[in-house]
Amino acid sequence: DEVDDVSPSDSSSEDLYTDDDAVGSGDTVISVDSEPYEPTPSESAVTSVLDELPADVTSLDVDSETRAKINEALLKLEALNPTETPATSPLLNGVWSLRYAGGYSSDWALPSPTRQIALFLYSGGYSPGLFALSLAQKLPAGLVDIGELEISISRQQPRVEAKVDVKLLGGSSNEVLVKARLDVDSDLRLTETYESATVLGQDVDLPAQVQYSRDLYVTYVDEDLLVVRDASGVPEVLVRKAKDFFMSGPEPDEVDDISAPY
C-alpha cells in the first residue's frame, strides 16, 4: 500500500543494477586499465638535478660528492635544452630562487664588501645573488634572521635584482639588495654588469675597479628551471618561484628586442 511505498528499501540501486542489465539494454561495459606514466628524458633529467640540490634554500654549501652528482646531472640536462635561443627568451623573466652555485663557499662571508668582490672576481666569476647572500651573512647572527635568496629578472634595466629578506631583532623587516644590468650579446650569451648594492637601506659604495662585469651563458631554461654558466664554466641553478613573462603589455621595438628580451 502507500505507507509501504514510503518505507526505505533494503536493496540499494546498485544492487538492482547489474552488468547483465547493461548488456541487455544495449549499453557496453568498458574496463580501462591505466598505464604507468613514463617521464620524458627532459623531465627525468630535471628531476635528477632537483633531487641533488640542497634542501636548505638559505645555504648553498654542498660537499664534493654532491657537487659531482649535480655536475653530472647538469651535463645531461643541458644537452636537452628545449629553448633554441635561450638568452633572448622571455622565459628568463620572472622570480627565481638560486638553489646551487658551483663556485660558492660560505668562507666568502667576509667583513669587507670590497674583499668579497675581489674574491668573486679572482675565483672566475661574480654573481649578484651570491654577493647579496654574502652581505646578508655578515650581519650579526644574533640580531637578524636571514631569509631566502631571491633573484628577479625583468624587461627593464637594471634587469637583475638579487634580494635577501632580513628580519631584525624586534620583528621589523628589511632587505639586502644587489642590482645588475643584463645585456644580450648573442642567442646564448649575456653580459651581467654590477650597478648598485644596499644593505638595510644603506648604499654600499664599491670602487670602480671592482665593479664587476661577467659573461653568462644560458645553457638551459624552461618554465621551471634556469641553468647559467660563467666564462669559466661554473654553473648556477635557479628554480622559478613566479612567472611574469605572460604579462600583457606593448610589444617591444627593435631596440628593446636586443637589450631587454620579453
Side-chain angles (χ1 to χ4, degrees):
D1 56 19
E2 294 182 0
V3 175
D4 292 337
D5 290 339
V6 175
S7 301
S9 171
D10 291 336
S11 300
S12 68
S13 60
E14 292 179 355
D15 294 332
L16 298 176
Y17 186 85
T18 65
D19 289 346
D20 292 337
D21 295 329
V23 174
S25 64
D27 296 331
T28 302
V29 177
I30 300 175
S31 177
V32 178
D33 294 328
S34 60
E35 297 182 357
Y37 175 73
E38 292 291 338
T40 65
S42 180
E43 290 172 335
S44 297
V46 168
T47 300
S48 66
V49 170
L50 295 177
D51 286 345
E52 298 296 341
L53 297 180
D56 183 2
V57 295
T58 64
S59 174
L60 298 174
D61 274 329
V62 296
D63 57 37
S64 58
E65 182 178 354
T66 301
R67 194 180 302 276
K69 290 180 179 179
I70 292 175
N71 287 336
E72 290 177 0
L74 285 177
L75 290 174
K76 295 177 182 179
L77 176 67
E78 290 164 329
L80 301 172
N81 184 16
T83 308
E84 291 186 1
T85 57
T88 61
S89 172
L91 289 170
L92 287 179
N93 298 332
V95 182
W96 302 87
S97 173
L98 179 61
R99 296 293 305 278
Y100 174 74
Y104 175 76
S105 170
S106 59
D107 293 338
W108 287 344
L110 302 175
S112 166
T114 302
R115 291 179 62 195
Q116 291 174 40
I117 290 282
L119 274 178
F120 282 123
L121 292 171
Y122 294 147
S123 68
Y126 165 81
S127 160
L130 297 182
F131 184 39
L133 183 62
S134 66
L135 288 174
Q137 288 176 336
K138 80 182 188 69
L139 296 172
L143 301 178
V144 299
D145 183 18
I146 298 174
E148 179 182 350
L149 170 62
E150 181 178 281
I151 296 177
S152 299
I153 303 177
S154 64
R155 291 185 60 183
Q156 302 301 319
Q157 298 287 9
R159 292 184 62 196
V160 178
E161 287 192 359
K163 182 180 71 171
V164 179
D165 288 325
V166 176
K167 183 172 291 186
L168 306 177
L169 186 65
S172 62
S173 298
N174 213 307
E175 64 186 19
V176 173
L177 184 66
V178 176
K179 296 183 180 182
R181 288 185 58 87
L182 197 62
D183 296 297
V184 176
D185 295 317
S186 72
D187 290 344
L188 298 174
R189 181 166 53 91
L190 301 162
T191 297
E192 188 177 58
T193 307
Y194 167 88
E195 285 227 338
S196 65
T198 59
V199 178
L200 308 185
Q202 301 296 315
D203 291 339
V204 177
D205 294 325
L206 297 176
Q209 62 268 26
V210 295
Q211 292 182 8
Y212 84 101
S213 177
R214 67 168 181 166
D215 288 337
L216 282 180
Y217 297 85
V218 185
T219 58
Y220 186 93
V221 62
D222 63 17
E223 293 188 358
D224 301 301
L225 198 67
L226 170 63
V227 181
V228 298
R229 292 181 181 268
D230 65 16
S232 64
V234 175
E236 294 177 17
V237 179
L238 300 93
V239 176
R240 192 184 301 278
K241 296 185 63 178
K243 304 173 183 177
D244 71 355
F245 52 86
F246 292 122
M247 295 176 63
S248 59
E251 290 296 321
D253 56 28
E254 292 182 0
V255 175
D256 289 332
D257 287 339
I258 296 174
S259 63
Y262 62 97

